[in-house]
C-alpha cells in the first residue's frame, strides 16, 4: 500500500493562530497503529456493497465494493483503530454513484471542527476500505474559526470543501445561503433514509422552511439534568424534587444552598434557555413561527425570563459562564450541584473537566418533563463541491453506519443520530462515571421524543439578542416586558437589513 497522509490542517486563508494540525501517516488512510497490525495475516474478508442505486451520468454502472483483506489483519487493525467488528452490518456503504466513476478531484476534502474531527479521523480506515482511490483530507479549525471560514467560503464561493461539518447553531444561517445541494433530490434521495435518523435532528437538517434537506445529522445532544449525588445527599434533596417541576427545582436549590453552600446551577441563563423550549410541539420554532413571525415577546419568553430572574435573586446560580474556569472549577469542587445540558457533557466531565468526581454524578430527565436537545453536528455538501459522489458516501458513512456511530459514542460520547443503534447492547451498559447508572437508556428515550422544531435563518441572531436583554434584566433590573419588547424590535430591525 502506498502511504498517504490523513491530515487535519487549516485552509490557507485561516488565521495561523487558530491552526491545529494533527497528521498521521498510514497506509491508505489507516492509522499508524492499524498499519502495524496489518503486518501479519493469513485469512481473508470480503466486503460487498448492497445492490447499487440508479446512477447519474457520467457513471451509470455502479460497481460492487470488494475489498480483499486478510481477516487477522482486519481484526488487528480494527482493534488498533477502535473499530468494532461486532457492530451491526452496514446498510449504507454502497455509494449512489457507484465505485468506478472518475472523481473530479482525487481527494475528498472535509472541513470540520473539534471534537467532530476525531470521529472522522477514527473512521478513516473504514473510508479507505470504502473508497480506496479517494484519499481523505480533514481540515479542522476551532469551532468559531471553522464556521467563520465556512461563512466566508459560502459568501465568496471560494475555498469550499466537498463536505462541510456544521454545528446546529449555524444550520439556519448556512442553509439560507442557498449554497448547499438539496439532499432530497436525485441522486441522493435523502428522504428515503429519513427513518434512519432521530426525527427532530433530521428536521433541523432541513433548514428554514423545511423545504429541502441540506444536511444530515451526525450526532445529537439529548437534554439531561446532571447532578452531584453527594451534594444532594448532604442537603437531603431527592432526584424527584429536582425534576418534578420548576417550583420544586428552585425550592430544592434553596435547601442545597442553605445546607451545603453549593449553587443550584452555573448561570441563570441556563434555566432561561431550557424553559424557552418547554411546551414546544412539532413544527413550532423557538424564536419564529412557521410564517416567520417573531415570538420573543410571547408568554413562553416571559415565563423563562421570570424563572431565570427568580433564580438569580435567590442566589441560586454561580454566575459562571459555560466553559469558563469558574464553571469548570464549580464542577470539580462540588460548588455547582446540577447542570442542564446535553448528554455529551458526561464525556467532558470524565475526560478533562472533572475526572476526579467520577462516581459522584447522576443523570436525570430535565425538570418539568421538558424534552429538548442541546446542540448537534451535521454534514452537508456545498453546491460547488468538486467530488459530490464521494462526499455523499462519506456523509452516509459517518451518519448511517452503525459501527461509525457506535464508535463515536464509545470514544467521544457523541450520542448517535442513527436510531437503529438505539437497541444495541451498548445502550444498556453501566456508566462508571455516573456511579454505574445505565443512563443511555434514558437518553435514548429522550432522543425519540424530542419535538421536531424547525430552525430559522435568524435563530443565532435571536439567541444573541435574547441573551443580551436577559442580562439587562438580571444585572440592571430592566423590566421583563420592556426587555422582550426591545428584543422583538431589535430582531425585526436587524432581520430586515440582512
Amino acid at each position: 500500500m502506498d502511504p498517504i497522509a490523513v491530515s487535519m490542517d487549516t485552509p490557507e486563508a485561516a488565521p495561523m493562530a487558530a491552526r491545529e494540525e494533527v497528521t498521521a501517516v498510514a497506509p491508505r488512510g489507516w492509522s499508524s497503529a492499524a498499519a502495524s497490525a496489518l503486518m501479519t495475516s493469513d485469512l481473508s474478508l470480503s466486503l460487498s456493497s448492497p445492490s447499487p442505486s440508479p446512477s447519474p451520468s457520467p457513471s451509470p454502472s455502479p460497481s460492487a465494493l470488494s475489498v480483499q483483506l486478510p481477516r487477522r489483519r482486519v481484526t488487528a487493525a480494527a482493534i488498533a483503530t477502535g473499530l468494532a467488528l461486532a457492530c451491526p452490518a452496514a446498510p449504507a456503504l454502497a455509494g449512489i454513484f457507484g465505485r468506478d466513476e472518475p472523481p473530479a478531484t482525487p481527494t475528498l476534502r472535509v472541513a470540520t471542527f473539534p471534537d467532530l474531527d476525531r470521529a472522522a479521523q477514527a473512521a478513516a480506515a473504514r473510508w479507505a476500505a470504502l473508497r480506496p482511490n479517494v484519499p481523505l483530507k480533514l481540515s479542522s479549525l476551532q469551532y468559531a474559526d471553522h464556521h467563520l471560514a465556512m461563512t466566508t467560503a459560502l459568501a465568496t464561493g471560494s475555498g469550499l470543501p466537498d463536505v462541510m461539518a456544521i454545528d446546529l447553531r449555524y444550520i439556519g444561517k448556512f442553509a439560507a445561503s442557498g449554497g448547499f445541494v438539496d439532499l432530497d433530490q436525485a441522486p441522493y434521495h435523502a428522504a428515503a433514509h429519513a427513518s434512519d435518523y432521530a426525527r427532530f435532528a433530521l428536521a433541523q437538517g432541513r433548514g428554514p422552511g423545511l423545504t429541502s434537506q441540506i444536511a444530515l445529522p451526525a450526532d445529537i445532544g439529548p437534554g439531561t439534568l446532571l447532578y452531584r449525588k453527594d451534594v444532594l445527599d448532604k442537603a437531603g434533596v431527592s432526584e424527584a424534587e429536582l425534576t418534578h417541576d420548576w417550583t420544586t427545582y428552585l425550592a430544592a436549590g434553596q435547601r442545597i444552598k442553605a445546607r451545603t453552600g453549593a449553587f443550584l446551577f452555573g448561570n441563570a441563563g441556563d434555566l432561561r434557555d431550557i424553559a424557552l423550549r418547554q411546551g414546544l410541539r412539532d413544527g413550532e420554532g423557538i424564536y419564529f413561527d412557521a410564517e416567520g413571525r417573531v415570538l420573543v415577546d410571547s408568554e413562553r419568553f416571559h415565563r423563562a425570563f421570570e424563572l431565570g430572574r427568580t433564580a438569580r435573586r435567590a442566589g441560586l446560580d454561580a454566575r459562571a459562564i459555560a466553559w469558563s474556569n469558574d464553571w469548570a472549577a464549580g464542577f470539580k469542587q462540588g460548588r455547582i450541584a446540577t447542570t442542564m445540558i446535553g448528554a455529551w457533557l458526561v464525556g467532558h466531565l470524565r475526560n478533562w473537566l472533572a475526572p476526579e468526581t467520577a462516581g459522584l454524578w447522576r443523570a436525570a430527565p430535565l425538570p418539568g418533563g421538558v424534552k429538548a436537545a442541546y446542540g448537534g453536528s451535521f454534514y452537508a455538501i456545498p453546491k460547488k463541491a468538486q467530488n459530490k459522489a464521494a462526499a455523499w458516501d462519506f456523509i452516509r458513512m459517518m451518519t448511517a453506519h452503525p459501527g461509525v456511530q457506535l464508535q463515536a459514542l464509545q470514544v467521544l460520547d457523541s450520542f448517535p443520530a442513527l436510531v437503529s443503534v438505539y437497541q444495541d447492547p451498548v445502550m444498556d451498559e453501566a456508566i462508571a462515571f455516573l456511579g454505574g447508572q445505565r443512563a443511555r437508556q434514558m437518553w435514548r428515550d429522550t432522543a425519540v421524543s424530542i419535538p421536531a422544531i424547525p430552525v430559522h435563518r435568524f435563530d443565532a441572531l435571536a439567541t444573541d439578542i435574547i441573551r443580551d436583554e436577559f442580562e439587562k434584566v438580571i444585572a440592571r433590573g430592566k423590566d421583563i416586558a420592556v426587555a422582550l419588547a426591545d428584543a422583538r424590535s431589535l430582531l425585526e430591525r436587524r432581520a430586515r437589513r440582512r
Side-chain angles (χ1 to χ4, degrees), residues 109-409:
R109 298 163 303 135
V110 178
T112 184
F113 54 88
D115 271 342
L116 189 62
D117 53 5
R118 293 173 60 199
Q121 192 177 30
R126 202 181 296 272
W127 174 256
L130 174 65
R131 284 287 201 153
N133 297 320
V134 184
L136 175 63
K137 182 174 183 179
L138 302 177
S139 297
S140 181
L141 292 173
Q142 289 298 325
Y143 175 89
D145 296 318
H146 164 76
H147 289 96
L148 178 60
M150 294 302 100
T151 299
T152 302
L154 286 168
T156 63
S158 175
L160 286 162
D162 297 306
V163 176
M164 185 185 297
I166 309 173
D167 182 79
L168 172 62
R169 179 177 167 83
Y170 289 85
I171 281 287
K173 176 182 177 181
F174 281 16
S177 73
F180 296 95
V181 301
D182 181 358
L183 299 177
D184 276 341
Q185 303 302 314
Y188 312 100
H189 300 295
H193 306 291
S195 61
D196 290 353
Y197 303 101
R199 194 171 58 91
F200 80 91
L202 195 69
Q204 292 170 334
R206 293 195 66 79
L210 303 177
T211 56
S212 60
Q213 191 74 47
I214 67 105
L216 292 181
D219 59 62
I220 62 176
T224 189
L225 176 73
L226 301 177
Y227 66 88
R228 284 284 296 263
K229 186 176 185 303
D230 56 328
V231 176
L232 263 66
D233 288 345
K234 187 176 179 180
V237 170
S238 69
E239 178 182 304
E241 291 176 274
L242 288 179
T243 60
H244 185 269
D245 57 33
W246 294 120
T247 299
T248 63
Y249 179 64
L250 294 178
Q254 291 179 315
R255 288 165 56 196
I256 291 171
K257 184 72 181 295
R259 297 180 181 180
T260 71
F263 296 102
L264 179 58
F265 49 83
N267 192 280
D270 301 345
L271 178 53
R272 175 209 63 217
D273 282 344
I274 191 60
L276 284 178
R277 288 155 174 79
Q278 187 163 25
L280 289 176
R281 294 172 295 185
D282 283 358
E284 295 180 342
I286 297 175
Y287 303 102
F288 303 89
D289 67 11
E291 284 71 44
R293 290 185 290 263
V294 177
L295 301 173
V296 300
D297 58 350
S298 66
E299 178 56 32
R300 178 164 51 88
F301 278 79
H302 279 267
R303 168 76 169 159
F305 270 48
E306 287 171 357
L307 282 169
R309 185 176 63 180
T310 298
R312 172 58 61 87
R313 286 177 172 175
L316 298 182
D317 72 317
R319 305 190 181 200
I321 304 300
W323 308 108
S324 66
N325 290 336
D326 285 347
W327 184 74
F331 293 145
K332 287 181 181 178
Q333 300 163 6
R335 292 190 291 105
I336 297 177
T338 78
T339 186
M340 294 173 285
I341 203 162
W344 41 261
L345 187 70
V346 173
H348 291 281
L349 290 168
R350 182 187 63 226
N351 295 331
W352 63 278
L353 276 174
E356 61 274 20
T357 62
L360 301 179
W361 291 88
R362 298 292 185 275
L366 291 169
V370 179
K371 304 294 184 185
Y374 284 79
S377 305
F378 297 80
Y379 287 112
I381 304 175
K383 286 181 178 176
K384 292 187 177 180
Q386 298 178 34
N387 202 344
K388 294 184 177 69
W392 173 249
D393 284 354
F394 178 83
I395 290 177
R396 284 289 289 166
M397 180 190 75
M398 295 303 299
T399 66
H401 192 291
V404 172
Q405 287 275 291
L406 288 173
Q407 184 183 24
L409 171 65

